[in-house]
Amino acid sequence: MAIANVEAGLGGPFAAVVVKNGAVIARGTNRVTTTNDPTAHAEVVAIRAACAALTTFELKGCEIYTTCEPCPMCLGAIYWAHLDAVKFGSTRDDAAAAGFDDSLIYDEIAVTFNRRKIPMEACMRDEAQAVFAAWTAYASRIHY
């Protein structure tokens, strides 16, 4: 899938499948450049398709197989989707050698927000707390 994606000019050299009980539930390939969506990584595309196919926002009982160790964004999506396991081919170092270096993002995660490369500033915290108060008071909320 990843090679076909490259050869067709549809996006980067990445592909992923979500599997449940030994059956492929969903597939995804990198679509960043064709959709002008920086979040359209293969894992995210596959997770979205799997959630749609299973009509759920959690993928407990599923595994994801991907051509490369997930980037920080995809790793976050994998944890949020509650996948049971990740199987990958190439490592992040292999990806970096091919021009897909995510080391800045890995490094930035460990830095406090006020010391990151992209300026970040907390603002209106008191007002923002009203959102969480409304959420915790909402009796019908779905925990995830």
Side-chain angles (χ1 to χ4, degrees), residues 42-100:
E43 296 91 337
V44 172
V45 171
I47 288 168
R48 288 174 180 163
C51 288
L54 298 173
T55 62
T56 183
F57 58 85
E58 291 185 331
L59 296 174
K60 292 177 182 174
C62 297
E63 299 178 329
I64 191 166
Y65 291 77
T66 181
T67 54
C68 190
E69 180 180 358
C71 75
M73 177 186 68
C74 293
L75 186 60
I78 287 164
Y79 276 99
W80 285 326
H82 300 281
L83 285 149
D84 288 359
V86 178
K87 312 290 175 126
F88 62 88
S90 300
T91 67
R92 66 172 121 167
D93 293 329
D94 299 328
F100 297 93

Side-chain angles (χ1 to χ4, degrees), residues 93-115:
D93 293 329
D94 299 328
F100 297 93
D101 188 355
D102 295 324
S103 60
L104 171 69
I105 301 169
Y106 283 106
D107 294 344
E108 286 285 281
I109 289 170
V111 177
T112 57
F113 75 87
N114 58 339
R115 293 182 180 223

